[in-house]
Amino acid sequence: MPFAQIYMIEGRTIEQKRAVIEKVTQALTEAVGAPKENVRVWITEVPKENWGIAGVSALDLGR
């Protein structure tokens, strides 16, 4: 059972997250031949103040 764990900065729409789930599922199905019913995708949204880029939080960078 393929399992993909995706970390993203908070703020994506439900539609964007649905698209990520769909496309990651499709990619794993094509890459490893697993039935899509067996693919699991877990999205973890990280608060902007908890995500650092080049020593600065994403919140402070305006992301």
Side-chain angles (χ1 to χ4, degrees):
M1 175 184 325
F3 179 83
Q5 189 169 4
I6 312 293
Y7 287 88
M8 297 190 301
I9 296 174
E10 65 185 354
R12 296 334 192 278
T13 66
I14 291 173
E15 292 79 18
Q16 289 171 320
K17 289 183 268 187
R18 284 181 179 142
V20 168
I21 292 168
E22 178 185 345
K23 292 179 184 302
V24 169
T25 299
Q26 180 181 357
L28 283 170
T29 299
E30 292 173 5
V32 300
K36 71 178 184 177
E37 295 77 19
N38 291 349
V39 175
R40 304 294 185 262
V41 179
W42 180 2
I43 297 174
T44 301
E45 290 188 292
V46 179
K48 294 176 183 184
E49 64 269 16
N50 293 351
W51 191 286
I53 302 167
V56 182
S57 76
L59 179 67
D60 292 338
L61 290 172
R63 302 268 173 118

